[in-house]
Amino acid sequence: MTGGTDPRRDGDIPNMMRAVDAPQPGGPDALILGQHKVPEPGDDDLLIAVAYAGVNRPDIIQRKGFYPPPAGAPTIFGLEISGTVVATGKNVPIEMMGQKVCALVAGGGYAEYCCADYRHCLPVPEILDMPSAAALPETLFTVWHNLFERAYARKGESVLVHGGTSGIGMMAIKLAKLFDMTIYVTCGSDEKCAAALHAGADAAINYKTQNFVAEVERLTDGGGVNIVIDMVAGDYVPRNMACLSEDGRHVTIAVQGGLTAEISMVEIMRKRLVLTGSTLRARSGEFKALLADEIHNIVWPIVNAGALTPTVDTVFPLDQAADAHQHMESGAHIGKIVLKVADD
């Protein structure tokens, strides 16, 4: 039930809210929890009372001053949320009022209230708790687009994913196995390799003690993998290319190891390789809506059945956002880090 006389707006929405911003770039202590105006939903928006917000690597890069929000997006941190719809724009179906949803947003998630394009939202199934719902959108949208759309993965193919126990890595493992693929991952410790194997990876390579190129060659009997999902870039790119089979696809989704790479164009021609990449945050609302629709039709029935859930490492309260960032930067996490904004 909604309060007041406006059927599109809950009568209990305050004017101000708690939210996390960083007035100046810096380390985790640059994050400031302060008072901000509650945003007003646009014609295609939902206003969501946030229960939980996911923490992602782009948040770290934004905090350091290297990844500014797209034009029109809030400076408040946070790219994914779960919560309850408390107000809607005029173009939004009225029945969305009061629904529990999770959403992909261009910013504003580390807050008590956040606006989201209703086309970028997915209903939270009863089987899924709200922390897990907040941990889904960013990794699910990213992996689905890059693995199945940009790399056009097919049943029976093989993929190498770096950062196997990151949120992206764990989601890639689960999606690959659901769609009958073979997945190899790299991790930074034996403990993380064990966690990746437990999540379903066919093999996990400790890149600190093993040569991942040689291991992929051994695991594939010299044939290589069909796809590499790369979050490192830099000098990993030529090594990734050495791991690829003929007609292999290399997808760059982050550049943690460097912005440039020196590669052999002859190798690309000889193997007929495809090198591509993407970022999601700055893509158009229309693109994200199409992506959300595809995920809703293909993946969400699997989520509803309880067969796909994210791995949540740690839940921090909103006022400990700096600790959440520090935990991510330490590399100690396995899966997703989530902020608790309100009781769910």
Side-chain angles (χ1 to χ4, degrees):
M1 296 293 290
T2 59
T5 59
D6 186 349
R8 290 189 173 274
R9 189 175 184 88
D10 191 298
D12 296 326
I13 301 170
N15 292 320
M16 302 296 290
M17 65 179 185
R18 297 183 308 147
V20 175
D21 203 349
Q24 299 294 328
D29 58 357
L31 297 175
I32 303 297
L33 178 64
Q35 290 290 314
H36 294 252
K37 288 191 68 173
V38 172
E40 283 294 325
D43 290 348
D44 295 320
D45 290 342
L46 306 173
L47 180 64
I48 298 167
V50 179
Y52 292 85
V55 177
N56 292 282
R57 184 66 58 176
D59 301 342
I60 306 294
I61 304 171
Q62 177 180 333
R63 191 202 71 224
K64 293 179 177 180
F66 301 121
Y67 192 34
T75 60
I76 295 166
F77 286 71
L79 302 178
E80 59 185 346
I81 57 172
S82 66
T84 303
V85 178
V86 294
T88 68
K90 67 179 184 180
N91 295 337
V92 178
I94 190 66
E95 58 267 23
M96 295 195 74
M97 274 295 295
Q99 284 193 17
K100 289 184 176 181
V101 298
C102 57
L104 182 73
V105 294
Y110 293 13
E112 292 179 307
Y113 293 89
C114 180
C115 286
D117 189 316
Y118 81 97
R119 302 170 301 169
H120 307 161
C121 299
L122 294 162
V124 177
E126 289 186 8
I127 198 169
L128 196 67
D129 62 33
M130 295 300 272
S132 297
L136 268 176
E138 174 69 14
T139 53
L140 180 53
F141 279 58
T142 298
V143 173
W144 183 263
H145 173 56
N146 288 288
L147 182 57
F148 293 98
E149 293 183 343
R150 301 208 69 81
Y152 46 94
R154 297 183 289 270
K155 179 179 179 180
E157 289 195 318
S158 56
V159 57
L160 170 67
V161 177
H162 294 297
T165 53
S166 66
I168 293 287
M170 296 295 269
M171 179 58 65
I173 291 169
K174 295 179 182 187
L175 278 176
K177 299 315 295 181
L178 282 168
F179 288 88
D180 296 321
M181 298 182 67
T182 299
I183 181 163
Y184 309 124
V185 301
T186 64
C187 305
S189 70
D190 290 342
E191 176 191 10
K192 289 191 171 186
C193 285
L197 292 170
H198 181 73
D202 292 279
I205 303 162
N206 185 336
Y207 65 83
K208 292 184 178 178
T209 60
Q210 297 172 287
N211 182 324
F212 74 80
V213 178
E215 280 299 297
V216 168
E217 182 177 15
R218 180 185 67 81
L219 290 163
T220 62
D221 294 324
V225 294
N226 302 108
I227 300 164
V228 173
I229 302 294
D230 179 33
M231 292 180 268
V232 183
D235 62 7
Y236 262 48
V237 178
R239 298 168 70 190
N240 291 337
M241 288 168 54
C243 294
L244 284 168
S245 65
E246 292 185 351
D247 298 303
R249 289 88 75 192
H250 182 284
V251 187
T252 300
I253 62 171
V255 289
Q256 296 176 32
L259 302 179
T260 61
E262 185 174 334
I263 60 175
S264 167
M265 302 308 293
V266 172
E267 186 75 356
I268 293 174
M269 293 187 295
R270 185 179 70 81
K271 287 187 177 180
R272 304 177 301 279
L273 302 180
V274 174
L275 273 64
T276 184
S278 73
T279 59
L280 183 58
R281 189 180 190 184
R283 294 298 294 269
S284 70
E286 289 71 21
F287 170 82
K288 293 175 187 176
L290 289 170
L291 184 55
D293 189 58
E294 185 170 303
I295 288 170
H296 184 263
N297 291 332
I298 299 173
V299 183
W300 220 242
I302 301 171
V303 176
N304 275 294
L308 177 64
T309 56
T311 300
V312 176
D313 176 88
T314 313
V315 178
F316 290 86
L318 182 63
D319 61 5
Q320 293 179 21
D323 293 333
H325 275 220
Q326 189 171 32
H327 184 49
M328 174 167 278
E329 289 188 274
S330 76
H333 62 292
I334 294 175
K336 290 299 296 276
I337 300 168
V338 176
L339 296 176
K340 182 176 182 180
V341 180
D343 292 332
D344 51 316

